[in-house]
Amino acid sequence: MAGSPHVLRNREVWDGMSEWYQAKHGPQLNTRPLAWGMWAIPEAEIGALGDVSGKVVLELGCGGGQWSMFLAEAGARPVGLDLSEQQLSAARGLMRTPYPLVHADAEQLPFRDASFDVVLSDHGAMIWADPYATVPEVARVLRPGGRLAFNAGTPWVCACDAGNDAPLSERLVNPYFGLHRVDEGDGAATFILGYGDWIRLLRRCGLDIENHIELRPPEDASSAYEPFASLEWARRWPLEAIWVATKAVTPLNG
Ligand SMILES: C[S@@+](CC[C@H](N)C(=O)[O-])C[C@H]1O[C@@H](n2cnc3c(N)ncnc32)[C@H](O)[C@@H]1O
C-alpha cells in the first residue's frame, strides 16, 4: 500500500500493538455498544449520529470494528476501513453480523464519490491521519446531506500534556498555536487542529458544522484509558469532543 511516511509508520505501529491494544481495551470496547470515546458515553445520550437504521456508514479507522459491529446489529450498513491488517483481523474475529472490512488509507479512500450517508470516527483515522488529506476525502465520499461525526482529543489535552506518560497537568504546559502533527515518541504521528483551523477546513470542504459536543463523563464513569486521563481531569476540562458536520447540498466557499 502506497502512502505518506507517517501513514506507513502508523501502520507498522498499529500492526505491532494491535494484540496488546485489543487485550487491554477490548473488555470495554466489546461490551459497551454504540458508545463514544474513553468513557464509553452512549450515543443514545449524545445523538451525534442520528438515526442510522438502513444507512451506509463508513467507520474511518475502525480498529477492532466495535462501532461497526454494533451498528450492523442495530440495522445500519457499516463498512469498516483500517490501515492495519492486524486491527482488521481483530475486527474479523469479533464480527457477528457480517459487514465489509476494507484495508486502506483514510487519506486516499478507495470509494466512489457520494457513496456514504454517514462517516464516523471514534479516535480513528480522523486523528491518526492528516486532516488536510482526510477531510476532503470524507467530503467527497459523503452524499449531499450526509453526516460526518468524529470524536477526538481536544487542544486542551495537547496544552496540558507534559509528556513521558505523565497524567495530564492542571496547568497549560504547551502552546496552543501551531497545532497539527503530534509525534508520539514511538515514531507514530497523530494529528490535531485548533478550533479555528477545524472550522475553516470543514467549511472549505463543503461541510456545514452542526455541533461540537464536548464529552463530560458522569461522576461514576470508569475507563480502561485511565490513568492518562483521570476522571477528575475529564470532569473539569474537555478531554475529547465530537465534531458533527453535514455535507452541504451546495458547497460553501471558504
Ligand atoms: C484507536 S483506534 C480506533 C478504533 C476504535 N474506535 C478504538 O477506539 O479502538 C485507531 C485506528 O486508526 C487506524 N489508522 C491509523 N491511521 C490510519 C489511516 N491513515 N487510515 C485508516 N486507518 C488508520 C489504526 O490502524 C487504528 O486501528
Side-chain angles (χ1 to χ4, degrees), residues 1-4 7-8 11 81-85 88 102-108:
M1 184 194 299
S4 47
V7 168
L8 298 177
R11 176 177 152 190
L81 176 141
D82 205 282
L83 186 65
S84 156
E85 282 166 327
L88 289 171
V102 177
H103 183 217
D105 171 13
E107 296 186 4
Q108 306 176 62

Side-chain angles (χ1 to χ4, degrees), residues 7 10 14 21 29 59 61-63 66-67 81-84 87 104-107 122-125 128-129 225:
V7 168
N10 283 353
W14 274 103
Y21 181 88
L29 296 169
E59 187 183 0
C62 65
Q66 288 88 357
W67 265 100
L81 176 141
D82 205 282
L83 186 65
S84 156
Q87 289 280 78
D105 171 13
E107 296 186 4
D122 190 6
H123 292 281
W128 287 92
Y225 294 87

Side-chain angles (χ1 to χ4, degrees), residues 132-203:
Y132 289 104
T134 54
V135 175
E137 279 294 83
V138 166
R140 181 181 69 73
V141 303
L142 271 178
R143 296 195 176 119
R147 183 181 296 208
L148 166 65
F150 69 94
N151 185 27
T154 66
W156 294 75
V157 174
C158 293
C160 296
D161 186 355
N164 297 324
D165 291 328
L168 290 179
S169 160
E170 298 195 354
R171 291 168 188 272
L172 303 177
V173 292
N174 296 309
Y176 169 84
F177 289 111
L179 287 175
H180 181 210
R181 177 185 165 131
V182 179
D183 290 311
E184 297 290 342
D186 53 3
T190 55
F191 294 84
I192 182 163
L193 300 182
Y195 293 100
D197 284 338
W198 270 123
I199 290 167
R200 283 182 288 278
L201 176 59
L202 291 164
R203 285 176 55 82

